[in-house]
Amino acid sequence: MTVLPITIWGEPVLHRRAAEVDVFDDDLRTLIADMFETNEAANGVGLAAPQVGVGKRLFVYKYDNDDGAPTSAALVNPVLTLSKVSGAVPDPDEEEEGCLSFPGEQYPLKRAEWARVDAVDGFGEPITFEATGWFARVLQHEFDHLDGKLYVNKLMDRYSRKAMKQAKKNGWGVPGLTWMPGVDPDPFGH
């Protein structure tokens, strides 16, 4: 297994819809293994293929949950069904998210409290489960990457302005920027 560099906001693959996976072979399963290794090295809870420069509809997660779902899985070609997202202002103490592709920054965002995922694994076998709370948030966050969206694209105006100001300060928004888990300092201080 190999730890892969993580792309940073501005890399084109992060900002376009990923392609369906249609070949389930050893190359796909190697990518999945590398993504699990990268997620672990980055102290992440989830990692989508576009975050490692691959425009395919798949993500991995590792998250202990009380929903009866696997604590880790690779979800290929996932479809999410969500409960309604509250129109309330997000709580900055309880609903703050971070992203490995917007490293070191965290902003509050409202998400659905419930999600159902229908996907397949790296062998094409079906996976279906429901998630609530933070686990549902993790799934939504990673799924958004497959549609070319980062959580900062969904922030309310005042947080969006802060995020874009920080991106400019960090020199992000251009292709070719990455960071290497296990080599570069952990942007979230784990």
Side-chain angles (χ1 to χ4, degrees):
M1 292 185 289
T2 303
V3 174
L4 304 170
I6 296 178
T7 59
I8 294 176
W9 184 81
E11 185 63 34
V13 71
L14 289 172
H15 304 287
R16 63 177 173 252
R17 188 178 194 283
E20 298 285 325
V21 173
D22 53 7
V23 177
F24 293 81
D25 60 6
D26 287 342
D27 288 342
L28 175 66
R29 289 182 286 279
T30 297
L31 172 62
I32 289 169
D34 291 348
M35 287 174 62
F36 273 118
E37 186 79 9
T38 303
N39 191 49
E40 185 74 24
N43 297 302
V45 293
L47 184 69
Q51 292 183 273
V52 294
V54 178
K56 295 287 185 184
R57 294 189 75 76
L58 83 101
F59 67 83
V60 300
Y61 74 85
K62 182 177 180 184
Y63 190 84
D64 290 332
N65 65 84
D66 296 324
D67 294 309
T71 58
S72 67
L75 301 175
V76 181
N77 298 332
V79 174
L80 284 190
T81 305
L82 304 174
S83 62
K84 186 176 179 177
V85 178
S86 164
V89 173
D91 183 330
D93 296 320
E94 300 292 326
E95 298 177 299
E96 200 170 65
E97 283 187 34
C99 180
L100 297 174
S101 290
F102 208 86
E105 306 302 323
Q106 295 177 294
Y107 302 97
L109 177 65
K110 275 288 181 202
R111 294 276 192 185
E113 286 293 316
W114 173 89
R116 174 189 163 102
V117 65
D118 293 284
V120 294
D121 66 14
F123 293 92
E125 296 298 318
I127 302 174
T128 298
F129 59 84
E130 295 179 6
T132 58
W134 271 97
F135 186 30
R137 179 180 291 271
V138 169
L139 297 175
Q140 292 167 77
H141 180 107
E142 298 310 326
F143 183 82
D144 282 349
H145 281 296
L146 306 184
D147 285 336
K149 303 239 184 307
L150 278 71
Y151 86 106
V152 294
N153 299 118
K154 296 182 155 201
L155 298 174
M156 59 187 294
D157 284 347
R158 73 174 165 185
Y159 297 120
S160 178
R161 285 191 299 275
K162 286 180 182 180
M164 293 308 104
K165 188 175 188 179
Q166 193 61 42
K168 185 176 180 179
K169 179 180 174 186
N170 290 335
W172 301 339
V174 296
L177 300 178
T178 62
W179 69 279
M180 192 67 180
V183 175
D184 294 326
D186 184 324
F188 293 100
H190 296 110

